[in-house]
Amino acid sequence: AQSVTQPDIHITVSEGASLELRCNYSYGATPYLFWYVQSPGQGLQLLLKYFSGDTLVQGIKGFEAEFKRSQSSFNLRKPSVHWSDAAEYFCAVGVMGRRALTFGSGTRLQVQP
Amino acid sequence: DAGVIQSPRHEVTEMGQEVTLRCKPISGHNSLFWYRQTMMRGLELLIYFNNNVPIDDSGMPEDRFSAKMPNASFSTLKIQPSEPRDSAVYFCASRFGQGGNQPQHFGDGTRLSIL
């Protein structure tokens, strides 16, 4: 069965600094990969997704993620963080067949002024 | 376009009462998911429907929980009787198709408090 690990429970960065959130997956084949963001009191919003092709994918709100098969990783990055990016971020993996996505445990991002 | 719509947004009730959470998926989506989110356990998949048929209900905690999808535009999650440990945020999500390559779209959730 597939699994997703987000090793960082909580990250704090200064506004304007760069950001990288880590995500590692376990699956025997190439998975479908997603990043979601959850602001307080709201549901999860899709940031970006990877299916195949170019391993660097662009998403909304200036985020990007890079799929690295050799490291089984799909890390989320942003060059300059804004205070409004403070939220919880979830990595998820999908596989072939009639299955739900498997979500990581999330990383809570705090942004310092 | 309307997203996934959940109601109510908040529910506070006493233990032992029946609770019914409602979800309207995005039109045209044929897969629907119910999740529960708590601080302790994170995001848990409770049940997953495809074309109104339950595919995987292994996450339903116990017989007090039941879910139905009588048609493509409506689903309910019922807890009877409710207990304080059921307090959580319950999310509904929908997806077009049934493959894992399709993203799930989430509603804003129902915050449930059982006193």
Side-chain angles (χ1 to χ4, degrees):
Chain A
Q2 70 277 13
S3 66
V4 181
T5 301
Q6 294 181 247
D8 304 306
I9 297 173
H10 186 211
I11 284 182
T12 300
V13 299
S14 298
E15 190 168 16
S18 63
L19 172 70
E20 182 168 27
L21 302 183
R22 295 184 290 164
C23 172
N24 293 97
Y25 69 89
S26 174
Y27 183 57
T30 300
Y32 308 114
L33 295 161
F34 307 83
W35 273 100
Y36 285 82
V37 60
Q38 184 181 27
S39 297
Q42 297 189 10
L44 280 68
Q45 180 186 18
L46 180 68
L47 280 176
L48 48 78
K49 57 189 178 185
Y50 170 78
F51 297 159
S52 63
D54 192 348
T55 56
L56 185 63
V57 294
Q58 303 296 321
I60 62 171
K61 305 185 180 187
F63 285 92
E64 66 178 26
E66 186 172 13
F67 170 60
K68 293 186 177 180
R69 184 189 305 276
S70 61
Q71 299 177 18
S72 298
S73 69
F74 188 57
N75 294 350
L76 181 71
R77 300 195 295 250
K78 187 169 184 178
S80 178
V81 170
H82 188 262
W83 64 267
S84 60
D85 294 323
E88 188 150 20
Y89 291 80
F90 292 90
C91 181
V93 60
V95 300
M96 289 294 290
R98 298 191 302 174
R99 302 287 298 275
L101 298 182
T102 298
F103 285 86
S105 55
T107 297
R108 183 167 297 278
L109 173 67
Q110 275 191 317
V111 181
Q112 288 181 336
Chain B
D1 289 340
V4 176
I5 299 172
Q6 292 186 246
S7 64
R9 287 299 312 274
H10 303 273
E11 172 105 14
V12 180
T13 192
E14 293 184 344
M15 64 177 294
Q17 298 297 308
E18 177 179 292
V19 173
T20 300
L21 311 181
R22 297 173 176 80
C23 175
K24 177 178 170 55
I26 293 172
S27 178
H29 284 192
N30 58 351
S31 295
L32 184 139
F33 309 83
W34 281 101
Y35 289 87
R36 177 172 67 178
Q37 186 179 41
T38 60
M39 289 291 293
M40 291 297 295
R41 301 172 70 93
L43 196 62
E44 302 174 274
L45 176 67
L46 299 178
I47 188 168
Y48 156 35
F49 292 87
N50 182 249
N51 292 326
N52 313 336
V53 175
I55 302 300
D56 181 1
D57 65 355
S58 59
M60 295 286 266
E62 47 196 277
D63 291 346
R64 297 185 298 106
F65 285 68
S66 62
K68 294 183 179 180
M69 192 164 187
N71 57 63
S73 59
F74 183 66
S75 177
T76 59
L77 177 68
K78 187 174 294 187
I79 308 172
Q80 167 64 18
S82 58
E83 297 182 4
R85 60 193 169 116
D86 302 329
S87 298
V89 182
Y90 290 81
F91 287 103
C92 177
S94 70
R95 177 176 76 187
F96 173 74
Q98 58 189 24
N101 61 342
Q102 297 294 330
Q104 296 172 192
H105 299 264
F106 284 77
D108 285 336
T110 294
R111 182 171 296 277
L112 177 64
S113 297
I114 307 297
L115 306 177

